[in-house]
Amino acid sequence: DVNPAAAAAWLEWVEAMLAAEDPSVAKVLAAQTDAATFAEGLRRLTDRLAALDAAKKWPALVSLASAAARDLPSRLDAAQRQAIAKTLADAQARLTAADRQRVAELVGQLAGGAEAAQQAAAAQLQAMGDRAVKPLVAELRALAVAEKPNLPAETAIVAVLGQIAPKLTGYDPAAARDAKLKTIDSWGL
């Protein structure tokens, strides 16, 4: 039998990890050998996932749900695995859409306005890291095929990509449309 004080302390630990949005909580849950204590920990995890969803905190939701999907499948029944997989897929889709929208807004600031706004936009894009790469490349592609060239915007995007995805090289804003598209396609994104 499990010591009630030990179970309570373990659940407090799980709760603290969930509050901190620490994805390693899934490994802690997976290691719990008492079925009732595990079930309560899992309930708290699913409650936290629902709260993050309601708060639209997509990065944290994706992080916790992907850890649960990776570390807990052997401890879950089919319905629980399916629920976590759906939560993860929905959160990833929402995060991707939110990232695309945010990148589009930041590209607008990056390409025009005061220098301070441009620097702030570049810093925010860099802070997004890998999540900004695909939306930035999509924005760059749209600019490359636009009727009216926007060299300052293309140059600014290339500069940010150079910071967060240094392997994406060879794009020349002054090149012809076909050459620009060939370079973007060569990146394989």
Side-chain angles (χ1 to χ4, degrees):
D1 241 1
V2 171
N3 176 335
W10 183 84
L11 288 168
E12 281 183 36
W13 180 34
V14 166
E15 199 65 46
M17 293 179 82
L18 290 170
E21 300 164 357
D22 182 347
S24 64
V25 71
K27 288 186 188 311
V28 170
L29 281 168
Q32 178 53 254
T33 56
D34 180 65
T37 308
F38 171 80
E40 178 58 22
L42 182 61
R43 185 193 65 74
R44 292 180 185 199
L45 170 66
T46 55
D47 287 353
R48 182 64 178 157
L49 294 174
L52 290 169
D53 191 25
K56 298 181 176 171
K57 294 179 87 178
W58 313 131
L61 181 56
V62 166
S63 176
L64 281 177
S66 62
R70 179 189 63 238
D71 296 333
L72 294 174
S74 66
R75 298 291 305 269
L76 305 176
D77 63 34
Q80 291 168 325
R81 280 192 302 275
Q82 190 173 13
I84 287 178
K86 182 180 180 343
T87 297
L88 177 57
D90 291 349
Q92 286 172 322
R94 290 185 188 112
L95 178 60
T96 298
D99 286 348
R100 266 197 309 265
Q101 182 179 350
R102 184 69 183 136
V103 166
E105 292 168 7
L106 291 171
V107 165
Q109 294 174 23
L110 193 63
E115 188 176 335
Q118 291 173 355
Q119 290 174 345
Q124 289 179 47
L125 287 165
Q126 289 171 5
M128 288 177 71
D130 288 345
R131 290 182 16 226
V133 173
K134 284 185 180 180
L136 276 171
V137 171
E139 290 286 324
L140 189 59
R141 180 180 295 278
L143 288 168
V145 300
E147 286 294 316
K148 189 175 170 191
N150 186 341
L151 265 52
E154 289 179 56
T155 302
I157 291 172
V158 169
V160 171
L161 283 171
Q163 296 292 313
I164 60 175
K167 291 181 180 173
L168 304 183
T169 60
Y171 187 92
D172 179 4
R177 175 187 297 186
D178 289 347
K180 292 177 184 182
L181 292 175
K182 185 176 180 185
T183 300
I184 291 171
D185 290 342
S186 76
W187 295 340
L189 297 176

